[in-house]
Amino acid sequence: MIRFLFIGLIFSSLFSANVSDKIKDQKNSIDSAKKLESQINKKLEELANDIIAGNKAVQNTAKQIEELAKQVKELEDSAHSANLELDKLTSQNGELIRSQKDMELRLVKIISEDFAYDLVAPNDYSESQDSIIATEILKNLNSVMNSEFKKLAQDYEETTNLIKSQSKKIESIKFDLKEFRQKQKALKSLQTKQKKNLEILNQDKSIYSKKLANIKKQQDEMRKTLESLQILAIKPKKQPKQQTQTKATAKNDDVRVIGTSYQAGNVKRYNGAKTIAPLDKFSVKQKFGDYVDPVYNIKIFNESVVLRSATTDARVKNVLAGTIVFAKETPILDKVVIVENSNGIHTIYAHLDKIAPTIKVGQKVKKGYVIGRVRQDLTFEVTQKNYHINPLELISMK
């Protein structure tokens, strides 16, 4: 019975440890996922700024590592010599201290013997032939002992001073070695910091690159959809670049282009009356127009705006009365609704999480009609007779 109980306790202990390890692993995974989600949810501009700051931090740390590594290298040889000298001085000091203690014992012995001889020959001792001989012997012994005492005291003082001198040198060497070890530790800390910075930077760059690629895909899909509905004219294919270029042209080519609307005639200002916004409470996450990213020097033309809702699962409202010409899910833009309005205006609502069940192609919808819901970010685009319009010029920001 006891054996079964013992086995049960061991099994329980192992099971608890296993569960504890699993909980710890899951917590680490959750923390990593939260960190990654936080990076992914950043605006493109914020992520770009983080990458630039990260690059600067990496460069600064690299300079510090280089400088500190040079100092450590210079100290390494002297540290090796210092360690050898420290061992030698410590050994010598040990011998000197033992010699010093031996001298102390001899000094005590001489003093005690001298005191004993004084007791043997008192001043009022009556003179005789034997006593005169004894006194002379004692005088000679005192003279020898005084001479030995004097030499021993001198040696003792020299030994003490040498110990002090070498002790100071030992402390100085220890201080230098301590500085060397501190620099070694600082170097290791900087290298660890550099490794962490590079990991974060590479992760940020990976997310950033994917975001740029995703913007291009979204723009291509949106244009393809609008061209198929004849809302936008089919864009002519780009002519191949000529081999001969002027210096000015070559300089401009340093900025690469992503986007579909770089001819001046593709964008126009909206001069009509303001209308309602598609969301009740929102902030502008991505603006309309040119954006040159500072990381890869790529020019992006945002043909839409991204509005971030202040609440989740927010209602998306139709901003102008019109007719539904498109309402379905797409591979990249999620669920999309396009409304044809008066004066050749088309309003496009992309990245919807839900399309209202009442919305059908061909259906007429009034201004303010709920066309769907969005979890957080709504992509909103406006065109007018083959031109793109800044959606923020159309809607009221109040």
Side-chain angles (χ1 to χ4, degrees):
M1 180 67 181
I2 294 170
R3 187 170 64 182
F4 285 129
L5 182 62
F6 182 67
I7 292 169
L9 285 169
I10 292 172
F11 179 77
S12 174
S13 175
L14 290 171
F15 179 75
S16 299
N18 193 29
V19 168
S20 176
D21 288 341
K22 283 184 178 178
I23 290 169
K24 189 177 178 181
D25 289 342
Q26 284 180 349
K27 187 179 181 300
N28 290 337
S29 298
I30 289 167
D31 290 343
S32 298
K34 282 181 178 177
K35 186 179 176 183
L36 189 61
E37 185 183 2
S38 172
Q39 287 172 309
I40 290 169
N41 286 337
K42 282 181 183 174
K43 293 180 185 179
L44 197 64
E45 294 90 340
E46 289 175 358
L47 199 53
N49 290 335
D50 284 352
I51 290 170
I52 291 167
N55 267 321
K56 285 181 181 176
V58 165
Q59 288 168 7
N60 289 337
T61 308
K63 285 180 182 177
Q64 290 174 26
I65 287 172
E66 186 181 357
E67 182 60 32
L68 204 52
K70 187 195 258 184
Q71 291 176 17
V72 168
K73 179 65 180 164
E74 288 172 357
L75 287 170
E76 266 179 347
D77 294 337
S78 59
H80 178 69
S81 302
N83 269 314
L84 293 175
E85 190 175 2
L86 180 64
D87 291 342
K88 183 181 175 182
L89 287 172
T90 304
S91 175
Q92 286 177 354
N93 255 17
E95 290 174 8
L96 287 169
I97 289 166
R98 283 192 293 272
S99 177
Q100 185 188 43
K101 286 181 179 177
D102 185 53
M103 287 179 189
E104 286 171 358
L105 290 172
R106 285 168 64 192
L107 285 167
V108 169
K109 186 179 177 183
I110 289 170
I111 292 167
S112 61
E113 285 178 354
D114 186 49
F115 179 69
Y117 291 142
D118 284 341
L119 289 175
V120 170
N123 292 329
D124 58 348
Y125 186 76
S126 59
E127 290 188 4
S128 66
Q129 188 176 356
D130 290 338
S131 68
I132 290 168
I133 292 168
T135 302
E136 286 300 318
I137 291 169
L138 288 173
K139 281 180 181 178
N140 288 332
L141 282 171
N142 274 340
S143 175
V144 170
M145 282 189 288
N146 283 338
S147 175
E148 187 180 353
F149 181 85
K150 187 177 179 181
K151 185 177 183 307
L152 199 58
Q154 188 177 353
D155 290 344
Y156 182 82
E157 186 179 0
E158 287 175 1
T159 302
T160 302
N161 289 335
L162 188 58
I163 289 170
K164 285 180 181 178
S165 172
Q166 295 203 153
S167 293
K168 284 181 181 178
K169 199 169 183 181
I170 286 169
E171 288 304 313
S172 175
I173 291 170
K174 282 182 177 178
F175 180 80
D176 290 342
L177 288 172
K178 184 180 178 183
E179 185 186 10
F180 171 67
R181 292 189 191 103
Q182 283 174 342
K183 286 188 182 295
Q184 275 186 321
K185 189 177 178 182
L187 179 61
K188 190 175 180 181
S189 175
L190 278 174
Q191 287 169 336
T192 303
K193 180 185 173 184
Q194 182 77 317
K195 185 180 177 183
K196 189 176 179 181
N197 284 344
L198 285 169
E199 285 174 358
I200 293 169
L201 187 62
N202 288 333
Q203 196 175 54
D204 282 347
K205 280 185 175 179
S206 175
I207 293 168
Y208 188 81
S209 298
K210 285 175 183 175
K211 280 196 169 192
L212 288 179
N214 194 42
I215 288 171
K216 178 71 167 64
K217 283 181 183 177
Q218 289 181 29
Q219 288 185 343
D220 288 346
E221 181 167 319
M222 180 61 79
R223 172 158 280 277
K224 188 178 177 182
T225 302
L226 296 178
E227 285 175 351
S228 67
L229 295 168
Q230 297 183 343
I231 294 170
L232 289 178
I234 297 173
K235 189 179 178 184
K237 290 183 180 179
K238 289 183 180 179
Q239 295 295 324
K241 289 183 179 180
Q242 295 180 355
Q243 294 296 324
T244 55
Q245 290 182 330
T246 63
K247 288 183 180 179
T249 307
K251 189 175 180 180
N252 289 335
D253 284 343
D254 289 343
V255 178
R256 292 180 291 148
V257 171
I258 289 183
T260 57
S261 300
Y262 278 97
Q263 293 94 350
N266 286 103
V267 179
K268 65 176 290 187
R269 290 190 63 83
Y270 174 73
N271 298 315
K274 292 273 187 180
T275 185
I276 61 169
L279 297 169
D280 289 329
K281 293 180 181 179
F282 64 91
S283 59
V284 179
K285 182 181 175 182
Q286 176 185 290
K287 293 180 180 179
F288 178 86
D290 280 341
Y291 166 73
V292 178
D293 91 88
V295 178
Y296 299 118
N297 209 25
I298 297 171
K299 185 185 282 187
I300 302 166
F301 187 86
N302 297 319
E303 298 166 331
S304 58
V305 293
V306 177
L307 308 179
R308 171 157 284 191
S309 174
T311 57
T312 56
D313 196 32
R315 296 185 306 169
V316 179
K317 296 179 290 185
N318 179 45
V319 299
L320 292 169
T323 305
I324 306 291
V325 294
F326 186 90
K328 67 177 182 180
E329 188 164 0
T330 66
I332 297 171
L333 297 165
D334 300 324
K335 294 176 175 66
V336 179
V337 171
I338 301 174
V339 181
E340 187 179 274
N341 314 105
S342 58
N343 298 322
I345 293 175
H346 286 84
T347 46
I348 301 109
Y349 310 83
H351 290 118
L352 296 169
D353 289 283
K354 297 173 187 173
I355 295 176
T358 54
I359 295 297
K360 307 292 179 189
V361 174
Q363 176 190 351
K364 293 189 181 299
V365 284
K366 294 180 180 179
K367 175 180 169 181
Y369 190 86
V370 177
I371 59 172
R373 287 184 179 269
V374 69
R375 188 176 69 85
Q376 194 169 42
D377 292 341
L378 171 71
T379 299
F380 182 50
E381 189 169 334
V382 181
T383 65
Q384 186 177 29
K385 296 177 182 178
N386 205 36
Y387 294 96
H388 276 93
I389 291 172
N390 183 350
L392 301 183
E393 294 176 357
L394 176 73
I395 62 173
S396 173
M397 298 296 289
K398 293 180 181 179

